[in-house]
Amino acid sequence: MNSQKIFFVFLLTLGLSFQAGGDLWAAKKIKIVATTNVLGDIASQIASDHAEIYSVCSPKRDVHFYAPTPRDVVKVKKADVLVHAGLDLEAWRGPMLDAAGRTDLMWPSGARQIDVSQNVPLLEVPTSLSRDQGDIHVYGNPHYWPDPENGKIIARNIADGLSRLYPEDAAAFEKNYTAFASKLDESMKTWLKILEPYKGRNVVSYHKSLIYFTKRFGLLDDGELEPKPGIPPTAKHLAELENIMRRDNVRIILKEIFYENRTPEKVAKDTGASVVTFAQAIGDVEEAKDYISMIDYDARAVAEGFKRAADKP
Amino acid sequence: MGQDIAQEIAGLKRMIAVLDSNVEVLKSTVRAQNEIIERQNSRIAVFEVRQSAVSVPPPVISPKANAGFNPDIGVAGTVQSKITQNKSDTEGNNSIALKEFELTFGQAVDPYSRFDATISFNDHMEEHVVHLEEAYYTRWGLPFGFTGQVGKFRAAIGKQNLLHAHQLPTADYPLVIQNFFGEEGLSSSGLRLKNNIPNPWDLPIEVTGEILRGNHDESFADVSRRPIFNTHIKTFFEPSADTNLELGWTTMFGTVNPPLTIDDGSGTTTEWIRPEGTDWYGVKVYGADATFNWFLPEGKQVTWQNEIYFQNRPELVNSINGQPWGFYSLVEYKLSRRFCPGVRFDYVNPLDVSGRHGTTSVSPYLIFWQSEYADVKLQYSHTVYAGGEKTDNAAYVVVDFLAGNHKHAIQ
């Protein structure tokens, strides 16, 4: 038998294995794939032991620029439900779904996808679209999950979506939602108290990704290290920003873990501000073990940042 | 008289008291009504917020809405400047040229499928060329989970052959790809089927099978005699939370030209005679690829990519080398959002050079990203050609820019 024949026999065997392999996936639990681990955590709170969760974007990575791996594609291919942030947060979601070939998970019409941005009151919805404004988002700022009130909306959407797909478990999802929302409400009182002394204070961030958090807790955004969204900092812009920070007595710079440290530290040194690492994903910092502990870390880190800056000369 | 006045005053006082109590009742009624109105206003406000949120996404300008059912459109331009020591007066040496201007289209065709197309314009060589780089139709959800594609596409050979010019980390394709599959790699009409092999461990094992039109004259026939068969299989590992490794294997079978009759102009003709049957899929190409990624803090990343190809071709019609082979190894370090230095080492024992001689090249490069949508690549290449008789030093400056909707398949 020559090599070509061996090759075609191999292909035939391979083809047959796909049919045989189908029985291996007899699912007992709902297989949920979430595009980020924050959504994965909230989905696990709602679905509890009814589901097994796989989160695509790893912690400490910029969710805008994540490159899905072959493992992600396999997980999506086998998923019962896709939970995603909607809007245009995950630019890689389309190619990932194309690779997985699951039309029922595709946005916006796929029946087995849950878009958790539904009902979120969006900020910064653009009135015109041009890349001369940088990497702006078509539908509005998609970094809405650091606001705990939006966390509740996300949970509500997941509970509703799962109830639609699995009505037999709807009561359990509703009960889990209520418990999660109560926990969030309870924690919210603590976070409001922690940040109450800093209401009305100005902050600067690296990327325009924290506005939902700052708005919720009464902090004022005074600018970003990026001159425009997605455009790396320039010397000219930083000089202007430092003047604004001095004028407005900005005492903290918020940055996500995946941004470089050098620029924020230099600006902090020049202006007497303090740099605070802000967690946007579970696992970005050790303390962020789930959604609630992530927000808890962020609230305490911001408060600590203000205190640290106050101690500076 | 005085008594009457006193009685009248007392009556008026009673009336005032009654009026006072009526006013109090009215006041409490108004307060209650106000509370109801306030509650209703709050509910209306909540409904209004919900109503506006329900219509998410609510952009003032929706590009989708404006575009209707038209395809998403994007452009990608690559302008290349090159200075070389090569003394031959060849188009492309010491030049600046729009190497490629890609116009991309893509849109869902129906709930089961989509199309993607890339039309490339270039001002690179002797002529202004319009070239259909890719135009294919994708159908998802075929039996057993297969995805099918028909049309013209970049063949699934290793890693870099799948990339468009502006996606390359370097100014040019690796030498082994250029020599075996053409300066821009192999893009061909055909049929592609793709799937993952199911396994209980969720190990990604992706198989791609392609039947390609056979008119590819670098390694195969220059006329469409028989199709080329290509398969690529790849798997993926994550040794740690910060690293991953992708391994792939390519197998191709193709045909070379039918027997040739060569006339040297003096009336003497020579016919190439081959052993019977050796022109039937006589060209076999085998390749392996390995890509290692290491994700470092602060968005930094190290990538090490390697591809090696070997050909077994008893036919020596359009080459004189029966067993050409070659590889490249590329290492790059993305040290910030702006800068990524790297180096590529190439070796190829080419199709047109027999014996053990090979061409080697070392190409250090630097990528500067102005933004996500525009970058500049600087590259120096030192090349020693097969046989060691010729060397070349070349410098490249490449400017890439993107606009509009631009979507690339996952590699």
Side-chain angles (χ1 to χ4, degrees):
Chain A
M1 188 182 278
N2 63 27
S3 56
Q4 284 93 359
K5 284 180 184 164
I6 294 170
F7 174 69
F8 287 116
V9 168
F10 166 71
L11 280 186
L12 185 65
T13 312
L14 205 60
L16 292 173
S17 77
F18 291 111
Q19 188 170 18
D23 295 332
L24 294 171
W25 316 128
K28 288 179 183 168
K29 291 190 170 186
I30 306 165
K31 290 184 169 65
I32 298 177
V33 170
T35 50
T36 71
N37 66 10
V38 165
L39 303 187
D41 177 65
I42 298 175
S44 78
Q45 304 279 340
I46 303 303
S48 184
D49 54 0
H50 292 264
E52 55 186 63
I53 315 281
Y54 177 81
S55 300
V56 176
C57 184
S58 314
K60 301 180 185 177
R61 305 275 292 279
D62 187 342
V63 68
H64 289 319
F65 301 111
Y66 179 76
T69 66
R71 183 176 306 284
D72 299 330
V73 173
V74 167
K75 292 290 186 183
V76 172
K77 206 174 171 74
K78 290 171 56 183
D80 297 314
V81 181
L82 177 76
V83 175
H84 62 88
L87 315 176
D88 51 0
L89 178 82
E90 313 109 334
W92 39 268
R93 184 176 2 111
M96 180 178 74
L97 291 170
D98 287 352
R102 289 284 305 276
T103 52
D104 55 348
L105 301 180
M106 289 179 185
W107 185 72
S109 58
R112 304 199 70 85
Q113 51 91 33
I114 300 173
D115 172 3
V116 301
S117 71
Q118 291 295 309
N119 300 339
V120 171
L122 294 172
L123 303 175
E124 293 183 336
V125 177
T127 53
S128 64
L129 294 174
S130 170
R131 287 286 172 225
D132 71 0
Q133 299 164 56
D135 192 7
I136 57 163
H137 295 284
V138 174
Y139 307 113
N141 193 313
H143 300 271
Y144 51 79
W145 64 94
D147 175 355
E149 290 299 330
N150 289 341
K152 270 199 290 186
I153 296 175
I154 292 168
R156 178 74 267 164
N157 284 324
I158 293 172
D160 289 348
L162 290 177
S163 299
R164 170 173 55 84
L165 293 167
Y166 301 94
E168 66 279 12
D169 295 324
F173 300 142
E174 193 56 37
K175 187 180 160 203
N176 293 339
Y177 165 75
T178 306
F180 179 71
S182 302
K183 259 196 277 182
L184 260 182
D185 285 340
E186 201 54 39
S187 303
M188 188 70 175
K189 291 176 194 162
T190 310
W191 300 329
L192 285 168
K193 202 172 162 190
I194 290 170
L195 291 171
E196 176 64 29
Y198 311 106
K199 247 183 176 176
R201 297 283 295 273
N202 289 299
V203 299
V204 157
S205 57
Y206 198 110
H207 179 64
K208 209 161 192 177
S209 51
L210 309 177
I211 58 167
Y212 290 90
F213 179 90
T214 52
K215 185 165 187 270
R216 175 61 56 197
F217 293 105
L219 304 170
L220 302 176
D221 292 291
D222 211 21
E224 291 78 37
L225 300 188
E226 291 178 339
K228 290 185 175 178
I231 307 296
T234 60
K236 184 184 171 201
H237 170 71
L238 292 177
E240 289 168 0
L241 184 69
E242 286 184 7
N243 286 335
I244 293 169
M245 288 175 69
R246 288 189 196 96
R247 183 194 69 197
D248 297 345
N249 191 29
V250 178
R251 305 299 286 162
I252 64 169
I253 300 168
L254 304 173
K255 75 168 272 285
E256 287 99 327
I257 193 126
F258 45 78
Y259 288 121
E260 46 92 20
N261 292 323
R262 198 175 58 86
T263 307
E265 278 168 5
K266 184 192 173 299
V267 173
K269 192 178 167 193
D270 291 351
T271 58
S274 186
V275 180
V276 172
T277 299
F278 193 92
Q280 287 260 30
I282 294 154
D284 271 1
V285 295
E286 205 181 324
E287 295 89 332
K289 297 185 191 313
D290 55 26
Y291 178 68
I292 290 179
S293 61
M294 182 188 86
I295 303 287
D296 191 69
Y297 160 81
D298 286 330
R300 291 176 195 282
V302 169
E304 281 301 314
F306 277 118
K307 282 181 201 156
R308 226 175 23 245
D311 294 339
K312 284 189 178 180
Chain B
M1 182 73 180
Q3 200 174 0
D4 287 347
I5 289 171
Q7 279 176 352
E8 198 169 332
I9 288 170
L12 285 171
K13 278 182 178 174
R14 278 196 298 275
M15 197 180 290
I16 287 167
V18 169
L19 285 172
D20 274 348
S21 71
N22 283 343
V23 166
E24 284 305 314
V25 168
L26 282 172
K27 274 184 180 174
S28 65
T29 305
V30 168
R31 270 199 301 272
Q33 291 296 331
N34 280 341
E35 281 172 13
I36 289 168
I37 289 167
E38 273 177 27
R39 279 202 299 275
Q40 293 294 350
N41 281 341
S42 306
R43 291 183 65 187
I44 288 166
V46 168
F47 282 129
E48 279 175 350
V49 168
R50 283 187 188 168
Q51 188 59 37
S52 65
V54 163
S55 59
V56 169
V60 174
I61 292 177
S62 162
K64 277 283 178 192
N66 286 349
F69 295 115
N70 290 335
D72 295 334
I73 300 173
V75 296
T78 299
V79 181
Q80 186 184 86
S81 312
K82 181 182 173 189
I83 298 172
T84 169
Q85 274 188 325
N86 192 334
K87 295 289 186 286
S88 57
D89 189 15
T90 306
E91 182 80 30
N93 287 345
N94 298 347
S95 68
I96 178 166
L98 176 66
K99 190 176 180 184
E100 201 167 73
F101 183 78
E102 287 183 359
L103 198 53
T104 59
F105 307 88
Q107 180 63 286
V109 172
D110 60 22
Y112 317 104
S113 59
R114 65 173 280 124
F115 87 95
D116 292 276
T118 303
I119 299 168
S120 170
F121 303 83
N122 80 61
D123 185 29
H124 181 45
M125 301 302 279
E126 293 89 346
E127 300 171 355
H128 304 277
V129 177
V130 179
H131 173 62
L132 184 62
E133 196 166 324
E134 289 188 301
Y136 58 89
Y137 168 78
T138 302
R139 173 62 161 87
W140 298 294
L142 295 175
F144 311 122
F146 276 89
T147 293
Q149 292 176 320
V150 286
K152 187 178 184 189
F153 43 75
R154 299 191 68 86
I157 300 168
K159 293 294 286 182
Q160 292 213 358
N161 188 74
L162 284 161
L163 303 180
H164 292 246
H166 68 270
Q167 292 178 277
L168 291 172
T170 47
D172 54 354
Y173 285 87
L175 293 187
V176 65
I177 289 177
Q178 290 190 49
N179 189 255
F180 285 13
F181 308 118
E183 188 186 345
E184 301 293 326
L186 199 161
S187 172
S188 178
S189 294
L191 161 72
R192 173 189 283 162
L193 285 174
K194 197 158 63 169
N195 207 344
N196 281 283
I197 300 177
N199 62 82
W201 309 279
D202 273 0
L203 182 67
I205 307 174
E206 185 191 280
V207 183
T208 305
E210 295 175 342
I211 301 173
L212 306 169
R213 192 177 172 190
N215 61 338
H216 185 78
D217 63 357
E218 302 293 337
S219 291
F220 304 100
D222 61 3
V223 291
S224 182
R225 189 171 175 222
R226 296 188 186 97
I228 299 167
F229 290 91
N230 175 43
T231 60
H232 185 255
I233 184 164
K234 75 176 179 189
T235 188
F236 176 82
F237 305 94
E238 284 162 318
S240 71
D242 300 323
T243 57
N244 65 44
L245 173 67
E246 186 181 310
L247 301 174
W249 178 264
T250 302
T251 308
M252 297 181 85
F253 297 127
T255 301
V256 289
N257 283 334
L260 290 176
T261 300
I262 298 169
D263 187 341
D264 66 3
S266 64
T268 308
T269 58
T270 311
E271 188 165 353
W272 288 75
I273 307 292
R274 342 176 168 168
E276 191 180 345
T278 54
D279 65 332
W280 177 256
Y281 289 100
V283 178
K284 302 172 187 72
V285 183
Y286 305 101
D289 57 89
T291 305
F292 177 74
N293 289 304
W294 182 17
F295 301 97
L296 298 162
E298 300 179 50
K300 295 172 184 174
Q301 183 179 342
V302 175
T303 299
W304 181 29
Q305 187 167 79
N306 307 273
E307 293 185 50
I308 183 166
Y309 294 94
F310 170 79
Q311 291 197 26
N312 191 0
R313 36 190 317 130
E315 297 293 342
L316 301 178
V317 174
N318 56 348
S319 76
I320 58 170
N321 191 352
Q323 295 186 323
W325 72 284
F327 73 95
Y328 76 86
S329 183
L330 176 150
V331 182
E332 67 177 27
Y333 175 38
K334 186 183 175 190
L335 54 88
S336 72
R337 289 169 76 196
R338 282 207 189 277
F339 293 102
C340 179
V343 63
R344 188 185 75 202
F345 178 80
D346 287 277
Y347 175 86
V348 62
N349 179 222
L351 287 160
D352 57 356
V353 177
S354 62
R356 294 174 181 275
H357 305 299
T359 297
T360 56
S361 180
V362 180
S363 305
Y365 61 89
L366 175 70
I367 307 172
F368 167 77
W369 283 285
Q370 178 177 281
S371 71
E372 191 188 338
Y373 307 101
D375 65 67
V376 179
K377 293 169 193 157
L378 307 174
Q379 180 175 316
Y380 161 76
S381 291
H382 175 73
T383 307
V384 179
Y385 289 99
E389 294 163 8
K390 277 197 306 181
T391 61
D392 188 20
N393 292 291
Y396 299 83
V397 180
V398 178
V399 176
D400 296 310
F401 54 91
L402 304 170
N405 286 307
H406 209 82
K407 184 175 171 182
H408 288 298
I410 292 176
Q411 302 305 325

